[in-house]
Amino acid sequence: MKRNFLFAFCFSLLGALLALWPAASSPTDTIVCNYIHPDCLSNHWLLVWVAEQIASGHSILHNSSYYWPIGDAPWLAGNGSEGFFYLPFHLLLGWPLGSNVYFVLIFVLNGLSAWHLVGSLGASPKASWAAAFSGALFVYVIHEIGAGRFS
């Protein structure tokens, strides 16, 4: 079982790194973002804002700097929750490295979920490893991350 999990983890990690290329090759100065999508850069900014607000003990219910001069309520809008999960990565690694490591983790967990599902359905270990690799390359997740929807 340990060997099976290790292979699944390695295939998931490989799929995640391929999916997140070129950010995986230069994680300290490249962000995961499709610049054509209008929300991507602003959601990166919001991801960092939420993490910094939480770390400093401030509220995330209203952000007067976002959509100035009216502001926005990121928690109510639904895109503030990922800041909770991103917070430890931000505190340890900063941005953009913390966000890139966070995204790799999301993709690896998707791959491991596919591995577990396929294995639970009775597939062979090799088939479940292929599921881990393809689960990490799941196109919907790549599209959502590229659009700036990180949760």
Side-chain angles (χ1 to χ4, degrees):
M1 180 64 175
K2 289 180 185 180
R3 180 176 171 257
N4 193 11
F5 176 80
L6 181 62
F7 275 106
F9 178 82
C10 289
F11 279 112
S12 296
L13 181 60
L14 178 62
L17 294 176
L18 286 173
L20 296 171
W21 203 267
S25 69
S26 185
T28 58
D29 59 6
T30 306
I31 63 171
V32 176
C33 189
N34 180 352
Y35 297 105
I36 295 171
H37 197 283
D39 289 341
C40 188
L41 291 174
S42 62
N43 281 347
H44 265 278
W45 181 86
L46 188 61
L47 184 70
V48 172
W49 180 84
V50 169
E52 290 178 351
Q53 288 291 102
I54 295 168
S56 63
H58 294 98
S59 172
I60 63 167
L61 292 179
H62 189 264
N63 181 342
S64 58
S65 300
Y66 201 58
Y67 297 126
W68 185 88
I70 300 163
D72 190 23
W75 182 254
L76 297 176
N79 57 351
S81 61
E82 60 268 2
F84 284 104
F85 301 111
Y86 167 68
L87 177 62
F89 299 91
H90 185 72
L91 293 176
L92 291 171
L93 304 170
W95 183 89
L97 178 59
S99 65
N100 288 328
V101 172
Y102 173 63
F103 299 145
V104 168
L105 177 66
I106 290 172
F107 280 66
V108 167
L109 290 175
N110 278 333
L112 291 175
S113 297
W115 164 75
H116 182 69
L117 174 65
V118 171
S120 296
L121 294 173
S124 71
K126 289 182 182 179
S128 64
W129 300 336
F133 180 75
S134 63
L137 287 170
F138 191 44
V139 174
Y140 178 75
V141 177
I142 294 170
H143 173 74
E144 290 298 296
I145 294 286
R149 293 184 285 270
F150 307 130
S151 56

